[in-house]
Amino acid sequence: MSSSTVVADEAAEAALAALSAALDSIAALPTTLPEKVQLDILRGLESAARRIPALGHNALLKVLKAPDEVFGNQRNRDVVADALRITRHELQRRIGEAEDLGERTSLTGQPMPALREHTAAAQRSGLIGRDHIKVVRDFFRHLPNSVDIETREVAEETLATLATTMRPDELKKAADRLDAHLNPDGIFDDQDRARRRSFHLGKQGPDLMSTGTFTADPELRADLEVLFAKWAKPGMCNPDDQSPVVDEEPTEEIASKDRRNTGQRQHDAIKATCRAMLASGDLGQHRGLPVTVIVSTTMNNIQNLAGHAVTGGGSMVPLREFIRLGAHTNHYLAIFDDSDGRPLYLGRSCRIAKPDQRIVMHAQHRGCTFPGCTRPGYFCQCHHCKAWRAQNGATDADELTFACEFHHPLVGETENDWTTTPCRAGRYRGRTLWIPPAHIDPQRKPRINHYFHPGEYLLDEDDEDCRQRIR
């Protein structure tokens, strides 16, 4: 290691230590200071809080571009999210902000100013914060492609200057007015519309309901209009009816008894459409299985009609809806024994996992088993814990596990690779242990992904028990 690298490391450590010491000094200030002094403290803290993200933009972009071997061949995005203990969604927001406000280089390696140069300067000065930046970024996200570069640069400078003297809500008003000035007729081309199309399905709430938002292009809107005209009229696709009307026209009596509002009828129409497509068999296969719903639960939950089931996408389904799913299409429902967590049936030995074995993995592992990974089972590949060819591993359900496309390549036979093995005993029996290479963890302590089994976060981790699992 060169001396310059050591100095750079020492300088970084000294700077971070000084920052921490400054925060300790502020924390030690007496609470009896006059109110005007307290207001000055708030201003200073707000300015510092706004500057700190700007200092991290270049570091974030550099870490993301690091060669694979720097972080043990792990996906750089996962390394950052785990190191900072932030969600992947928050990481994506920070990446987008860094790409707009961080330094750039030309194709020849020459330094270039930030894409939003004036906004970046205002953030570095501590004059604007995250909400101001969101207004500016949203403005350009919605600006038509027809607006030329020079006009865009003037608009960015104008908004950045206004942001230094306005609250975010005031800036939003100014941005909307500027948008109306630059595009008074609301003219957008096909590329603008294609860029704005989206569908976002939010997280499940405590009641297991999900809120989503979407921006539909004209073609999707036309499709939805005809769908709702048929299946969202009163009396159609009503789950409250013993035999919901789907193909034929509902009678006046059935329609008059329909107490759903328009939004509820449209929701049920979309659900009926999805159900019909899944039942048709026209969606082909995904990772060796027909495209259909895979849901798992335990025998104890079935007997008591309590708890919930888990889908291959990681969402939860109430037990009564779990049972109702079994009456529709060809959904796969897997049930587990509560006593030891093992599936009630196993697959057969061959090179490629059979569909029934994949179903067992959906039910048992629910998603990628690499520690901390959040990719659900629908997006994972089958992995032999014991290599099928090199170690004569069997393709049995209890020897298979899930690994996503990012973490599956990390497993290998060299000293720089991760290894996997099924947990043979203890509270995690049947789960997959990932053993890191020595350069990541000299003790090579086995790790388990608890993300899809959140109740395990509340359990104490015993080092000795962890070692016993692989014996």
Side-chain angles (χ1 to χ4, degrees), residues 390-462:
Q391 299 177 335
N392 295 320
T395 311
D396 290 328
D398 55 355
E399 290 288 340
L400 295 171
T401 191
F402 269 151
C404 71
E405 60 189 83
F406 303 111
H407 296 127
H408 200 175
L410 299 184
V411 183
E413 301 300 319
T414 73
E415 61 181 10
N416 294 322
D417 294 325
W418 291 69
T419 58
T420 55
T421 184
C423 183
R424 301 299 187 186
R427 62 170 71 119
Y428 301 125
R429 181 179 180 183
R431 301 282 296 287
T432 304
L433 303 175
W434 287 72
I435 305 173
H439 71 273
I440 292 180
D441 179 6
Q443 297 181 347
R444 305 202 69 194
K445 179 181 177 182
R447 305 179 185 184
I448 286 181
N449 187 11
H450 301 296
Y451 182 83
F452 297 100
H453 307 264
E456 295 174 358
Y457 287 127
L458 306 179
L459 301 176
D460 292 331
E461 190 73 32
D462 189 319

Side-chain angles (χ1 to χ4, degrees), residues 55-72:
L55 301 177
H57 291 330
N58 296 333
L60 175 58
L61 294 177
K62 185 170 184 179
V63 169
L64 293 176
K65 295 176 182 177
D68 294 341
E69 60 270 15
V70 171
F71 298 110

Side-chain angles (χ1 to χ4, degrees), residues 333-359:
L333 311 178
I335 303 173
F336 274 65
D337 189 342
D338 291 278
S339 61
D340 59 9
R342 291 173 62 82
L344 297 183
Y345 66 92
L346 295 176
R348 299 168 296 279
S349 294
C350 61
R351 174 66 179 89
I352 304 299
K354 296 292 185 179
D356 58 348
Q357 295 168 320
R358 291 176 182 266
I359 296 166

Side-chain angles (χ1 to χ4, degrees), residues 90-140:
E90 169 63 13
L91 175 61
Q92 187 58 44
R93 183 197 67 78
R94 295 190 188 187
I95 292 173
E97 198 171 288
E99 290 174 342
D100 280 355
L101 306 180
E103 295 178 357
R104 298 180 297 163
T105 55
S106 66
L107 294 177
T108 58
Q110 298 299 315
M112 297 174 58
L115 181 64
R116 310 290 178 222
E117 181 180 3
H118 302 283
T119 305
Q123 185 189 33
R124 288 195 301 270
S125 300
L127 297 176
I128 66 174
R130 171 181 173 180
D131 292 336
H132 294 98
I133 294 170
K134 184 179 185 303
V135 172
V136 175
R137 296 186 69 218
D138 287 346
F139 170 83
F140 285 101

Side-chain angles (χ1 to χ4, degrees), residues 176-177 205:
D176 290 343
R177 183 66 188 88

